[in-house]
Amino acid sequence: MNASDVMETLTIARWDGPVPADWQRRARASLEAGRVLFFPALAFRPAPDERPLLSPAVLDNTRKNISLDPSTGRLGGTSLAGSERERLAAMMTRFATAATGFLRALAPGYAAHLEPARTSFRPAEIDDRPTSPRQDDRRLHVDAFPTRPLQGRRILRLFSNIAPDGTARHWRVGEPFADFADAFVPRLRPALPGSATLLAALGLTKGRRSAYDEMMLRLHDAAKRDGDYQSRAPQVALELPAGSSWLVYTDLVLHAAVRGHTALEQTFYLPLSAMADPEHAPLRVLERLTGRALV
Ligand SMILES: [Fe+2]
């Protein structure tokens, strides 16, 4: 495997379009097939009065990321107060707006279905002392959220490297999801009967965890815990420079964030019905593999 197998480069420099129709089609097909769309010239530029915020000092003691919830406007993970806090929220909101506009221009077929989720700001160096393999995002994994069941909806994420010192962000990208699932699904233990109902009743999940959500969480954990897989699995190193952006279905693409600091990220959820080709989606791949409905 090499970088061109897992990544497609588009030299778009504007957040607000327009994007030629043949690029729109190519972008959507590549994304859904499990490639990283890389935009080397799509830079998110903090304003001069935002530059002091590009520092790990804005984090509160215990957190690695600052998150902004678009439904509540709540900003979490920062120790900042007053006008500095407002300035940080404003920068993240500006990024969220730019990211949403960009996605609408790039993939108009998604526009009516986009559900903007959290915006995150990651000012610190990627954690090189995580508390457990499960917490270690330097290990290859697919994304799955323990408290947020998605019932088969997709996770699409746009990242921008805004490191003021020009540091690149280093990722590794793994094998196709279907190959990964073929190897790991037969090894997964079944969920405890009734556990999804219990988690929802206790308020530990926002809605009920489907069999799909349970399986994706187990795949996330199983990949990260398997040291042999981590070292032997096919994988490609990507260097994502400061001033670039990239877009990827992180529920489909095995990825590891190895090194780097000061990135912004916008998450979107999308229903399966918005896919040009839903057969590539993790839900469909897992349903084919297990021979049963998972949501
Ligand atoms: Fe991830």
Side-chain angles (χ1 to χ4, degrees):
M1 273 188 358
N2 55 48
S4 64
D5 295 325
V6 300
M7 186 166 87
E8 170 122 12
T9 301
L10 289 174
T11 50
I12 300 171
R14 293 179 58 102
W15 291 87
D16 55 356
V19 176
D22 58 329
W23 285 28
Q24 291 173 352
R25 274 192 298 275
R26 202 170 112 201
R28 200 165 161 200
S30 291
L31 275 177
E32 292 183 17
R35 303 175 87 197
V36 177
L37 283 191
F38 175 51
F39 308 101
L42 189 67
F44 183 78
R45 301 196 193 286
D49 68 342
E50 290 167 349
R51 294 214 185 106
L53 302 169
L54 308 184
S55 155
V58 303
L59 289 164
D60 77 17
N61 295 332
T62 58
R63 302 285 288 275
K64 308 287 190 296
N65 294 336
I66 293 162
S67 71
L68 180 65
D69 181 334
S71 58
T72 61
R74 207 186 93 77
L75 187 68
T78 180
S79 54
L80 295 180
S83 62
E84 285 189 308
R85 186 183 182 91
E86 282 168 28
R87 198 173 303 149
L88 178 58
M91 178 180 80
M92 292 174 68
T93 301
R94 201 158 56 77
F95 177 72
T97 304
T100 306
F102 179 70
L103 207 51
R104 287 173 185 277
L106 181 72
Y110 287 167
H113 307 280
L114 281 181
E115 185 187 334
R118 270 184 0 179
T119 311
S120 77
F121 175 44
R122 307 166 180 205
E125 179 62 36
I126 289 166
D127 190 4
D128 60 359
R129 272 169 299 179
T131 49
S132 71
R134 244 182 85 217
Q135 311 284 341
D136 189 353
D137 287 335
R138 297 169 310 159
R139 291 169 174 248
L140 288 168
H141 65 283
V142 286
D143 286 346
F145 303 137
T147 61
R148 167 70 73 176
L150 288 175
Q151 315 270 356
R153 280 181 300 159
R154 308 299 312 276
I155 306 170
L156 183 59
R157 293 184 136 173
L158 181 77
F159 297 82
S160 282
N161 181 348
I162 59 167
D165 62 356
T167 299
R169 206 166 182 84
H170 292 259
W171 269 34
R172 281 180 292 113
V173 169
E175 65 185 333
F177 181 83
D179 296 345
F180 162 66
D182 267 344
F184 276 84
V185 166
R187 293 159 42 183
L188 299 179
R189 279 168 304 149
L192 293 174
S195 60
T197 309
L198 184 63
L199 287 167
L202 293 173
L204 296 175
T205 53
K206 295 186 181 81
R208 197 172 192 286
R209 215 183 251 180
S210 62
Y212 168 74
D213 292 295
E214 189 65 44
M215 193 167 277
M216 289 297 285
L217 282 166
R218 282 161 188 261
L219 286 171
H220 167 276
D221 293 0
K224 281 187 172 177
R225 284 190 178 121
D226 188 336
D228 195 48
Y229 181 75
Q230 292 294 327
S231 56
R232 288 171 197 273
Q235 51 198 288
V236 177
L238 301 183
E239 186 174 328
L240 305 149
S244 73
S245 301
W246 58 104
L247 181 64
V248 54
Y249 274 111
T250 56
D251 54 357
L252 178 68
V253 174
L254 281 148
H255 61 284
V258 184
R259 228 164 51 241
H261 61 79
T262 329
L264 281 161
E265 174 268 326
Q266 177 63 46
T267 300
F268 301 93
Y269 301 137
L270 280 144
L272 206 59
S273 59
M275 301 299 112
D277 186 358
E279 293 312 304
H280 291 302
L283 175 64
R284 290 288 177 255
V285 173
L286 295 175
E287 286 185 334
R288 278 198 300 275
L289 202 57
T290 57
R292 63 188 177 107
L294 296 173
V295 295

